[in-house]
Amino acid sequence: MKSPCQMLRIIAAIFVFLTATVVAIKVPNPNYADALTKSILFFEGQRSGKLPPNQLMTWRKDSALHDGADKGVDLVGGYYDAGDNVKFHFPMAFTTTMLAWSVEQFRNSMGPDLKHAMEAIKWSTDYFLKATNIPNVVYAQVGNAEGDHNCWERPEDMDTPRTAFAVTTQAPGSEVSAEIAAALAATSIVFKPTDPAYSKSLVNRAIQVFEFADKYRGSYNDSIGPWVCPFYCNYNGYNDELLWAAAWLLKATRKPMYWNYVKQNIINFKSDMESGLSEFGWDAKHAGINVLISKFVLDKPSNANPFLPYADTFVCSVLPESPTNTVIYTPGGLMYKSGICNMQNPTALSFLLLTYARYMKSRVIRCGNIDVTQKMLIRFARSQVNYILGRNPMNMSYMVGFGTKFPQRIHHRGASLPSIDQHPENIGCKEGTQYFLSESPNPNLHIGAVVGGPDIKDYFADYRPNSGQSEPATYVNAPLVGLLAYFKAHP
């Protein structure tokens, strides 16, 4: 016989279930196709350099046309990482790898957006070919971050130092070099069917850059730390990037030497790997390595260890219903990790879960007493995407230009200042402060930009100075491109 309290809890649970069912029926899924188009368009607003004639984000103009001149090299191009005007190559390379993985996995679902996605990737890899053109030298950043962050000015008006910083044999940077190698290798796969010559040039350069990263080991924290820190310090070491790059080279070349490297070093780096099995982002590749390699070992049980157990542990550490879950969620159901720009976590981790689900097919993962299926992983990934696109307690989309309610005051210099068309005169370093502090909406719509998102209580303050919540970043959008392509095809 159940107590009255138990009966009340059961009734309440049934009510919640029925209510959720009704809501699910009444509320359609977001327009994933529209969101996909906009998520790719965002990258046009982040472009640095000489813009092409087909540029659709017309409030942006040419910028930083002399990058690299201080070192006698051509470093014009690439992307600004977020709302500032610095080119940080570590997160830019991760962004590129994830864009390439998105296309590699979901190109058949992209339709007319495929062309634009590949243009977004090539804008970056063309730049990285320049940044790695000198043997045993890898350029890792352009721009003085302290000077840039002291100003609020359009990229077209920049007058802060555009110093180029490199890692070398004497001052190594294995993490940034290996991530660039991964980006080049991943992109070589994407372009192989349509541009084999470009693909070959990418994979050949990836091999060279990886050899440099592996032979001259060291963190760029120690070589150019005063300029990359605290913005994009490497907190997780460089071993994961070396494995990540080798895994992508394995996928791109199918050469046994890379499989042997990954197998041997997954053991050598065991303590590093096991401490970060649920981590994935521009700084930590642990979960990504195991999901990527799982594609190779699912059909070969003799090669499964430790990759599949590690990938399974990742799944069990993320899913909210798992008894071994270690991830915090907001009351509205968004994955949450304290720090700057939380939205990078739900997009990157959801991409991995969706990709692993497609790899595992009918295989079942055991998380304590819970059996996790492919459908559960896909359903969870969809819940995170839907939250970002408007199914949340604020009833707002966190993608600019998507839906009827979205952030209006994002922390982004170019978007918050009047465009060259509206205000041809130069706006100096401190002259932009009035726009930064203004409560008016941004004059330029940075379509597709996904901001840092709400706080732990699902609350979002649409406030430009609050960069943690209101700033977009390329590495937030990159994995989202793949997610949206899949859900567009499976609405």
Side-chain angles (χ1 to χ4, degrees):
M1 182 71 179
K2 291 181 172 61
S3 69
C5 287
Q6 288 176 313
M7 291 300 295
L8 285 171
R9 280 198 293 270
I10 291 170
I11 293 169
I14 293 171
F15 175 77
V16 169
F17 172 77
L18 291 174
T19 303
T21 303
V22 171
V23 169
I25 293 170
K26 285 186 175 180
V27 180
N29 281 319
N31 185 335
Y32 299 120
D34 183 44
L36 173 62
T37 300
K38 290 173 176 172
S39 71
I40 298 169
L41 181 60
F42 161 73
F43 290 94
E44 288 198 8
Q46 297 300 118
R47 283 172 170 168
S48 179
K50 180 72 175 175
L51 302 185
N54 64 347
Q55 171 87 3
L56 297 175
M57 200 82 81
T58 54
W59 52 268
R60 280 296 326 283
K61 308 296 180 185
D62 299 344
S63 63
L65 297 180
H66 303 288
D67 280 359
D70 65 312
K71 299 295 190 295
V73 295
D74 176 7
L75 293 175
V76 176
Y79 288 111
Y80 304 118
D81 70 300
D84 54 17
N85 300 323
V86 183
K87 294 189 297 197
F88 295 100
H89 295 185
F90 193 22
M92 191 198 303
F94 175 71
T95 293
T96 310
T97 308
M98 293 309 298
L99 275 174
W101 201 1
S102 292
V103 171
E104 187 270 332
Q105 281 292 299
F106 306 109
R107 69 188 307 149
N108 293 335
S109 302
M110 289 187 169
D113 291 306
L114 175 61
K115 174 179 179 286
H116 300 296
M118 293 182 70
E119 287 173 351
I121 297 169
K122 193 171 186 294
W123 188 267
S124 190
T125 50
D126 283 354
Y127 177 74
F128 281 131
L129 288 174
K130 296 180 181 181
T132 58
N133 196 39
I134 303 171
N136 293 332
V137 174
V138 171
Y139 282 93
Q141 180 174 317
V142 178
N144 183 302
E146 292 288 352
D148 181 86
H149 286 75
N150 190 44
C151 292
W152 195 262
E153 57 186 351
R154 301 175 297 200
E156 295 84 1
D157 290 335
M158 276 189 293
D159 50 13
T160 54
R162 299 299 294 173
T163 313
F165 301 96
V167 295
T168 64
T169 57
Q170 300 300 312
S174 294
E175 64 281 269
V176 64
S177 302
E179 186 59 59
I180 290 173
L184 294 170
T187 303
S188 75
I189 299 169
V190 168
F191 279 91
K192 192 172 184 178
T194 57
D195 193 342
Y198 186 63
S199 172
K200 187 175 181 179
S201 68
L202 292 172
V203 75
N204 287 342
R205 184 63 59 81
I207 291 168
Q208 294 172 20
V209 176
F210 173 71
E211 288 174 353
F212 165 70
D214 189 43
K215 183 177 180 179
Y216 302 99
R217 293 190 183 186
S219 173
Y220 82 156
N221 290 1
D222 301 320
S223 55
I224 57 172
W227 298 282
V228 300
C229 294
F231 310 99
Y232 290 102
C233 278
N234 179 12
Y235 298 101
N236 284 280
Y238 54 76
N239 292 335
D240 55 325
E241 276 80 31
L242 290 173
L243 277 172
W244 176 241
W248 276 109
L249 279 165
L250 170 64
K251 191 173 178 68
T253 68
R254 302 287 171 165
K255 291 183 178 179
M257 62 181 289
Y258 295 113
W259 172 240
N260 293 333
Y261 184 98
V262 172
K263 276 198 302 183
Q264 182 59 49
N265 286 290
I266 199 81
I267 298 169
N268 294 344
F269 304 156
K270 183 178 179 181
S271 60
D272 281 0
M273 290 300 300
E274 292 184 345
S275 66
L277 289 177
S278 62
E279 297 289 328
F280 187 60
W282 61 263
D283 184 36
K285 312 307 182 311
H286 306 76
I289 294 162
N290 295 303
V291 169
L292 181 62
I293 291 294
S294 71
K295 176 69 172 174
F296 293 89
V297 303
L298 274 167
D299 298 326
K300 298 178 181 178
S302 61
N303 292 327
N305 286 319
F307 306 103
L308 285 190
Y310 281 170
D312 290 353
T313 298
F314 159 66
V315 170
C316 296
S317 70
V318 172
L319 286 189
E321 58 264 48
S322 167
T324 55
N325 163 48
T326 60
V327 175
I328 297 171
Y329 289 87
T330 69
L334 181 69
M335 195 183 300
Y336 190 84
K337 185 176 180 179
S338 61
I340 296 175
C341 192
N342 171 62
M343 211 63 91
Q344 62 185 303
N345 299 297
T347 61
L349 296 181
S350 294
F351 179 94
L352 286 189
L353 291 173
L354 175 63
T355 301
Y356 194 38
R358 297 176 75 242
Y359 290 166
M360 64 187 269
K361 298 178 181 177
S362 59
R363 181 171 169 266
V364 174
I365 298 170
R366 188 75 176 171
C367 296
N369 60 344
I370 302 292
D371 285 335
V372 177
T373 64
Q374 180 189 57
K375 286 184 178 180
M376 290 171 67
L377 296 185
I378 295 172
R379 184 170 66 241
F380 172 80
R382 188 190 299 273
S383 75
Q384 299 300 291
V385 172
N386 286 355
Y387 186 109
I388 293 169
L389 297 181
R391 195 173 293 180
N392 55 61
M394 293 285 290
N395 291 315
M396 73 178 297
S397 159
Y398 290 106
M399 176 186 285
V400 174
F402 183 83
T404 57
K405 182 183 178 184
F406 51 81
Q408 301 287 331
R409 301 164 187 83
I410 69 171
H411 182 98
H412 190 278
R413 287 159 177 75
S416 67
L417 292 157
S419 69
I420 297 290
D421 293 332
Q422 298 169 318
H423 191 292
E425 297 81 11
N426 182 82
I427 300 175
C429 172
K430 294 301 181 182
E431 293 174 8
T433 304
Q434 60 175 313
Y435 298 98
F436 172 66
L437 297 174
S438 168
E439 295 183 4
S440 300
N442 288 353
N444 306 308
L445 206 59
H446 199 345
I447 295 172
V450 178
V451 297
D455 63 17
I456 186 64
K457 296 181 180 179
D458 295 300
Y459 176 73
F460 177 77
D462 192 2
Y463 180 56
R464 198 174 294 112
N466 182 4
S467 60
Q469 286 190 285
S470 64
E471 188 171 16
T474 55
Y475 43 85
V476 173
N477 273 56
L480 185 60
V481 167
L483 288 161
L484 291 169
Y486 176 83
F487 291 122
K488 170 190 171 183
H490 302 84

